[in-house]
Every structure is written in structure tokens, then in C-alpha cells.
Amino acid sequence: MKTIGNLELFNLESIEPLILQPFRETLKAGGYQAFPSAALDFPDGEIDFLKLLVKDPDTTFPGRISGDSLKDIGILSEDWCLIQKGIEARPNDLVAAIIQDEFFIKRYKPRYKEDNSLKELKLQSANVEYSDFDINDETEFFLWGVVTWTFRNWRKL
């Protein structure tokens, strides 16, 4: 484990398959329906959960988030994330960035000129109690990776 600023980073210890049996029924989070769907969204057989989550083990790092600057989009302190390096950030992606020598997870908000060159870059919080970062030429800034997944442990076992 390595702690950099507000983020704890871990190395993937294994890339062995993690095979799980999928739940065979769709899981509804709202509304009522009398009968289950006949068209299940899961493939037959098993799901390699690690393969679903990690596309490139050499460039993917698990991290634990601290702080509540992203609480309004459902990401809380102690949530886990997977960060992939080497992929291009798109507008609204969550990114891991080093700003002024501290690690942050923020929403990537670029604005472009008519010729598609970068006009300005904002790294946005999702909590009104926190300021956004306006990145300019004077900002010590490094885009470290793109957050591809976040996880929360709902029940400690």
C-alpha cells in the first residue's frame, strides 16, 4: 500500500480469474412488476469478475478514497476505486490527479475552443462545501489516471 495525499494506492496481487455465478434474475430498484423478465441480461454460465473489472492489470490500480468531496454523486469516504493509467480522460470522467503534490479524485471538465484545442480545464467536486480546481499554466498538475469503477462495502463481514 502507498498513501499519496488523499488516496491510498494498492497493487493488484493477483490476476487469477475470480469466477462468480451471476444472479439469474434482473434486480429492480423501483417500480412493481408481477412477473420476472423472460429475457435475462446475464450470459449463460459464469462471469470472470476480475476480467470484467480490470482490462489491463499492468496499468490498473485499486485505491481507497478519503473525504466527501464527491458525496453528491454517491462516492463516499472509504469507498474503493479502480484507476487505469494510460487511457484518455473524457469530459465528465472521474480522474485521479496530482495537484500541488496531493492526490485527488475529481470530475474532469475540459472546455474547448472552436479549433478543438483546450480552452480551460476544471477538476470539479461534487459537494458544495468544496471548491473546484481551475487548472492553468501555473498549476502544478498531473493527470495520473481515469477512475473506471467505484465500490462500497455495504456490510462488513
Side-chain angles (χ1 to χ4, degrees):
M1 178 187 70
K2 181 178 180 183
T3 302
I4 304 175
N6 298 326
L7 188 70
E8 293 176 292
L9 290 174
F10 300 81
N11 287 324
L12 292 174
E13 292 184 11
S14 171
I15 56 172
E16 294 296 316
L18 174 61
I19 307 296
L20 299 174
Q21 293 290 327
F23 193 73
R24 303 302 293 170
E25 184 63 43
T26 57
L27 303 169
K28 297 165 188 64
Y32 296 98
Q33 198 169 2
F35 300 101
S37 170
L40 297 177
D41 290 334
F42 297 107
D44 291 333
E46 304 168 330
I47 294 175
D48 182 343
F49 208 69
L50 195 57
K51 189 174 180 182
L52 172 71
L53 299 175
V54 178
K55 301 302 179 206
D56 184 356
D58 294 330
T59 61
T60 302
F61 297 86
R64 190 180 342 215
I65 298 170
S66 70
D68 61 353
S69 73
L70 298 172
K71 74 175 184 79
D72 292 347
I73 59 172
I75 298 172
L76 305 177
S77 191
E78 300 297 315
D79 283 356
W80 286 89
C81 65
L82 288 179
I83 305 164
Q84 187 170 344
K85 294 180 74 171
I87 60 175
E88 185 177 340
R90 298 181 194 149
N92 294 315
D93 274 350
L94 288 176
V95 295
I98 300 172
I99 306 167
Q100 313 287 350
D101 294 324
E102 284 192 71
F103 236 117
F104 292 92
I105 303 293
K106 298 291 179 187
R107 185 159 316 269
Y108 183 74
K109 293 289 201 172
R111 290 190 56 201
Y112 298 97
K113 299 176 186 174
E114 287 184 22
D115 66 355
N116 279 343
S117 63
L118 187 63
K119 180 178 180 180
E120 63 185 39
L121 176 58
K122 182 179 294 219
L123 296 182
Q124 189 177 59
S125 296
N127 180 340
V128 295
E129 296 177 18
Y130 291 85
S131 300
D132 299 334
F133 288 102
D134 292 313
I135 305 301
N136 57 43
D137 292 337
E138 289 80 43
T139 309
E140 290 181 42
F141 165 76
F142 178 70
L143 184 63
W144 196 79
V146 175
V147 175
T148 56
W149 292 89
T150 60
F151 311 92
R152 176 170 307 125
N153 185 355
W154 290 96
R155 181 176 179 193
K156 306 237 187 280
L157 300 175

